Amino acid sequence: MALLPILHYPDARLHTKAQSVAVIDDRVRQLVKDMAETMYAAPGVGLAATQVNVHERIVVIDVSETKSELRALINPVILERRGEQLCEEGCLSVPGIYEDVSRAEWVRVRASNENGEVIEFEAEGLLAVCVQHELDHLDGKVFVEYLSLLKQNRIKSKLAKRARITV
Ligand code: GNR
Ligand code: NI
């Protein structure tokens, strides 16, 4: 098991488009384990491989209060979306920043799990938000890109300043 370092916005590598996973093997299963450990330790409710500088279509999510409903989504796709909800989002790659983002209220998702089985499920509320947030990461998109350019620039300066202090 290993904790993986998380990239912080504004890091250009967060804008990399992830490649599909061709074979779900022990390497992928180990990455899923390490990503889950990293997500729980953070703590966060989701983590995309992009955030740990692995540009493959792999996501882990657990929005349960008891941290007992881990889902690994490999090559996930949103088949259907309905409605709209406004949710205050945060991101492990944008620490300390919380802003409202509009997302679909309901989604139907298809993915493979870590055993290579195709799974399909419906999500609403926070799980639906999280799925959309994580799939955006795989396409190189960070939630702050939904905000005004003014807000994006303020967030960039704030995080750049913070990085200068801690490095
Ligand atoms: O931990 C997280 N919480 C969260 C809260 C509201 C909307 C989205 C999220 S995802 C985030 C973890 C993360 O950065 N995943 O990419
Ligand atoms: Ni995120």
Side-chain angles (χ1 to χ4, degrees), residues 62-83:
D62 188 346
V63 298
S64 73
E65 277 182 22
T66 48
K67 300 293 164 208
S68 58
E69 292 170 32
L70 178 68
R71 292 163 198 261
L73 306 181
I74 300 166
N75 300 330
V77 286
I78 294 176
L79 299 173
E80 217 180 319
R81 23 184 116 222
R82 291 183 196 157

Side-chain angles (χ1 to χ4, degrees), residues 127-148:
L127 180 58
V129 169
C130 196
V131 165
Q132 293 170 79
H133 176 115
E134 303 313 335
L135 268 66
D136 272 354
H137 275 303
L138 299 182
D139 288 326
K141 186 158 183 169
V142 179
F143 86 100
V144 298
E145 291 172 61
Y146 290 105
L147 309 176
S148 69

Side-chain angles (χ1 to χ4, degrees), residues 22-142:
V23 188
I24 300 170
D25 55 10
D26 287 344
R27 179 192 69 89
V28 171
R29 280 184 281 275
Q30 186 59 52
L31 177 59
V32 164
K33 279 185 188 169
D34 292 344
M35 285 174 60
E37 192 187 358
T38 304
M39 172 183 74
Y40 287 128
V45 296
L47 188 72
T50 308
Q51 293 175 276
V52 294
N53 200 29
V54 174
H55 302 288
E56 300 181 50
R57 304 190 79 80
I58 303 171
V59 157
V60 291
I61 295 182
D62 188 346
V63 298
S64 73
E65 277 182 22
T66 48
K67 300 293 164 208
S68 58
E69 292 170 32
L70 178 68
R71 292 163 198 261
L73 306 181
I74 300 166
N75 300 330
V77 286
I78 294 176
L79 299 173
E80 217 180 319
R81 23 184 116 222
R82 291 183 196 157
E84 195 185 330
Q85 61 177 322
L86 204 62
C87 179
E88 187 177 75
E89 297 195 16
C91 180
L92 296 173
S93 294
V94 196
I97 306 291
Y98 302 90
E99 295 282 351
D100 280 349
V101 175
S102 166
R103 302 274 191 187
E105 163 34 54
W106 178 97
V107 291
R108 181 193 299 283
V109 184
R110 182 183 293 159
S112 293
N113 66 16
E114 66 275 34
N115 301 316
E117 299 155 344
V118 175
I119 52 166
E120 211 174 289
F121 63 95
E122 296 171 13
E124 58 187 1
L126 178 61
L127 180 58
V129 169
C130 196
V131 165
Q132 293 170 79
H133 176 115
E134 303 313 335
L135 268 66
D136 272 354
H137 275 303
L138 299 182
D139 288 326
K141 186 158 183 169
V142 179

